[in-house]
Amino acid sequence: MTDLTPEKLEAVQNVVDRVGAYQDGAPEGTVETELRKGLGEADVTLDDQHVTALAEAIESADGDVDAASVLG
């Protein structure tokens, strides 16, 4: 797992929840783009592989994703 503090993980989860709420029907690439934007706004940096994993999880789970599980 990444070295995220509980506060940073909570920020990641908030971004994931926000992006997941409107991902249905979004054009391809939008979820990952919006994740990166939201993480930047939350001042959280993740490796590209983690952002991609979160985006794929959101897309495959229709938005209902536990960030801690994905970042494992």
Side-chain angles (χ1 to χ4, degrees):
M1 178 162 161
T2 61
D3 294 331
L4 294 175
T5 65
E7 294 82 14
K8 295 277 186 178
L9 185 55
E10 181 178 355
V12 170
Q13 186 64 54
N14 289 336
V15 171
V16 167
D17 290 345
R18 184 179 80 196
V19 172
Y22 65 80
Q23 67 80 31
D24 191 31
E28 187 166 335
T30 300
V31 171
E32 188 167 339
T33 300
E34 290 300 317
L35 271 174
R36 290 182 187 283
K37 180 179 172 187
L39 291 169
E41 291 169 359
D43 196 29
V44 177
T45 302
L46 295 177
D47 294 336
D48 286 341
Q49 67 189 31
H50 289 122
V51 175
T52 300
L54 286 169
E56 289 173 355
I58 290 169
E59 290 171 349
S60 68
D62 292 327
D64 187 22
V65 172
D66 177 38
S69 295
V70 173
L71 297 176

